[in-house]
Amino acid sequence: MQMRSIRIAQPQPLKATLGRRLPIRRICHVHAASSPGSSGENAYQVLGLPENADYNAIQRAYKKKLSECRGDEEAASRIEQAHSSLMMNALTSRLQGNAQVDKNVLYADRARYFPWRPKLWLAEQKVIMFSAIAQCAFLAWALLSPMTAGTQPVVWSATAGAIANIYKQNRINPPPIRGAEVSDEEKKQGGRNILRGAFLAFMATFSGCLLLYTAPDAIAAQLNTVLPLWFYEGQTILLTLGSTLMNLIFTSLFR
């Protein structure tokens, strides 16, 4: 009987191993699932969401996960499958009459008129608190110093509204991470958020001033009537009240 010798490879020296530069791979945190996107539960796990997450939460998580996984095609594919699965499950439930579906999902295949119109969206509690404190401060400024304040409280009310709305837009549609490889369209997201926030603040300020002062004054002029004296003497207060009130409403309830 012949005996075969077995040659055991010697371990590589530690210095040689330490001398090499190990490849660095970006880690993307995607929750593991047995078959991502195959069921509602697994799809929620992939996106890191609870099972009762609504349409807006799903969209936020979807965009955030994609932004975090730039360059990782496997993780991006899992996220895409999970998102598609949740959207299809929602539509299927709606067709079967088992659940109500967000109108953004139900009418996703229809053209949208006036896409820049304000849409209902309840802001985070800290955003509402910041807006309420700021707008109350500007209104108090106008009430305590109506002669010297002028239109400054209105201007600052619009500015605070724009800042709060831009912050909210960045939370809803996060801009890409600096240095990440993104498409030209995705690079514009930050600019679009700024324009959207400024647009909402302008609409709020304009509508507030229109409703509480400009419109009543114009209607009175058309009817050849004179409004009470306090209306004209309190112009600054009325303009500030309209601006602060509408900016608070737009910041808290619209996107």
Side-chain angles (χ1 to χ4, degrees), residues 25-31 36-37 43 46-47 61-85 181-182 186:
R25 184 178 180 182
R26 185 178 179 181
I27 299 175
C28 177
H29 297 283
V30 177
H31 295 271
V46 171
L47 295 178
Y62 167 63
K63 293 178 180 179
K64 181 179 179 182
K65 288 290 185 181
L66 282 183
S67 179
E68 292 175 350
C69 297
R70 298 293 178 190
D72 191 336
E73 296 182 1
E74 181 180 355
S77 177
R78 290 168 57 83
I79 295 169
E80 292 283 1
Q81 292 177 17
H83 179 261
S84 299
S85 174
E181 296 182 2
V182 296
E186 291 173 317

Side-chain angles (χ1 to χ4, degrees), residues 9-10 32 69-71 75 81 84 92 97 113 117 120 137 144 149 168 181 214-215 222 226 239-240 250 254:
Q10 295 295 325
C69 297
R70 298 293 178 190
Q81 292 177 17
S84 299
T92 302
Y113 299 99
R117 71 187 185 281
L120 285 175
L144 296 175
K168 185 169 61 175
E181 296 182 2
T214 307
Q222 291 294 324
V226 179
L239 290 175
T240 305
F250 269 64
F254 292 94

